[in-house]
């Protein structure tokens, strides 16, 4: 029986560093049921309340996102909200600001913010509830569509994941706050891929492929202007086993090696 697809959102959080474009990466704890030990971006599954129509919203409307993401309007709202919620939950960065859509909340640290972040994690609080309590609106205009990946049917856990790109807002700092990760790093795509090839940073094929796409951009502005880097269409790899190892074969014939996490 094929596992049902779960909608999910992932965010490539970007900043300009001394060596060029950097992306925020998390190493998932080895005990995680999905992608344990793997380096990935902040992200996760959709919470049904991410589709709440009363969420304060600034930027392109859900109908516009639906056209960009090739889905219906409710799913588009869920995905954009999940992207914003997961980025706050896993990196302590909130893509929100005043309802007029001008500016971004500059500081989301402190005890009250942390209590609300924890309440999001336990689902005691919805994103719409957090924004309403703070008098804020989700800044949909800070996100860009980047990629669309679907887990192969052979996998026990399957996700239909939209990848988004976003710049780290001025005044905020990505923090190592995720209980699902044991390391958080800002790395250039080239360094992250070099560590993957050396065997010290295992990654799933979608992370490897999107890092390769990011490597073509010199800075955040060009990455956002160039998103998506190719027409946004779903990529569902085919798992291939050869004498040399296991690979994810993409529709264009590209093969990406599949690695296992390092032992504890």
């Amino acid at each position: 029986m094929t596992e049902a697809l779960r909608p999910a959102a992932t965010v490539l959080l970007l900043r300009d560093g001394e060596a060029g474009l950097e992306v925020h990466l998390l190493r998932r704890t080895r005990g995680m049921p999905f992608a344990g030990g793997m380096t990935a971006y902040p992200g996760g599954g959709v919470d049904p309340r991410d589709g709440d129509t009363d969420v304060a919203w600034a930027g392109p409307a859900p109908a516009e996102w639906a056209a960009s993401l090739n889905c219906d309007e409710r799913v588009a709202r869920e995905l954009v909200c999940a992207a914003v919620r997961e980025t706050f939950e896993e990196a302590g960065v909130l893509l929100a600001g005043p309802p007029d859509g001008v500016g971004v909340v500059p500081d989301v640290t402190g005890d009250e913010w942390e209590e609300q972040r924890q309440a999001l994690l336990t689902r005691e609080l919805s994103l719409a509830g957090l924004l309403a309590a703070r008098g804020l609106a989700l800044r949909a205009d800070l996100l860009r569509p980047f990629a669309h990946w679907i887990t192969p049917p052979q996998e026990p856990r399957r996700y239909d994941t939209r990848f988004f790109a976003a710049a780290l807002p001025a005044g905020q700092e990505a923090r190592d706050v995720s209980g699902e990760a044991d390391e958080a790093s800002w790395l250039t795509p080239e360094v992250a891929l070099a560590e993957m090839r050396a065997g010290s940073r295992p990654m799933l094929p979608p992370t490897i492929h999107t890092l390769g796409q990011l490597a073509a951009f010199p800075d955040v502005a060009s990455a956002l202007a160039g998103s998506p880097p190719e027409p946004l269409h779903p990529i569902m790899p085919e798992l291939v086993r050869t004498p040399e190892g296991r690979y994810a074969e993409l529709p264009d014939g590209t093969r990406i090696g599949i690695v296992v996490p390092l032992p504890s």
Side-chain angles (χ1 to χ4, degrees), residues 43-216:
V46 163
D47 176 345
R49 294 175 300 173
D50 288 332
D52 290 348
T53 56
D54 59 348
V55 63
W57 190 285
E64 293 180 61
W65 277 103
S68 297
L69 300 175
N70 300 315
C71 61
D72 64 39
E73 189 171 329
R74 178 179 175 83
V75 172
R77 184 185 298 111
E78 289 175 341
L79 291 167
V80 172
C81 287
V84 172
R85 176 181 52 75
E86 289 284 343
T87 303
F88 183 50
E89 287 180 5
E90 296 199 347
V93 170
L94 185 60
L95 303 175
D100 61 7
V102 178
V104 183
V105 57
D107 182 22
V108 290
T109 61
D111 293 342
E112 290 186 8
W113 279 111
E114 182 58 19
E115 288 176 11
Q116 290 176 314
R117 193 186 68 81
Q118 291 291 339
L120 282 177
L121 284 167
T122 59
R123 300 296 182 259
E124 297 173 35
L125 181 66
S126 68
L127 179 65
L130 167 64
L131 296 176
R134 292 281 182 171
L136 298 171
L138 174 152
R139 287 287 307 274
D141 56 316
L142 298 181
L143 291 164
R144 300 288 187 277
F146 197 87
H148 180 187
W149 284 72
I150 299 175
T151 310
Q154 301 96 319
E155 292 295 315
R157 288 175 177 265
R158 300 192 66 214
Y159 294 92
D160 185 352
T161 306
R162 281 7 181 255
F163 288 65
F164 299 83
L168 176 69
Q172 295 191 37
E173 291 293 336
R175 295 175 286 129
D176 185 3
V177 293
S178 174
E180 298 181 354
D182 59 18
E183 177 192 281
S185 308
W186 284 101
L187 297 173
T188 65
E190 295 85 354
V191 167
L193 289 170
E195 293 181 359
M196 179 275 299
R197 288 189 288 268
S200 61
R201 190 174 289 278
M203 302 174 187
L204 291 174
T207 310
I208 296 170
H209 192 265
T210 49
L211 281 171
Q213 292 176 301
L214 270 184

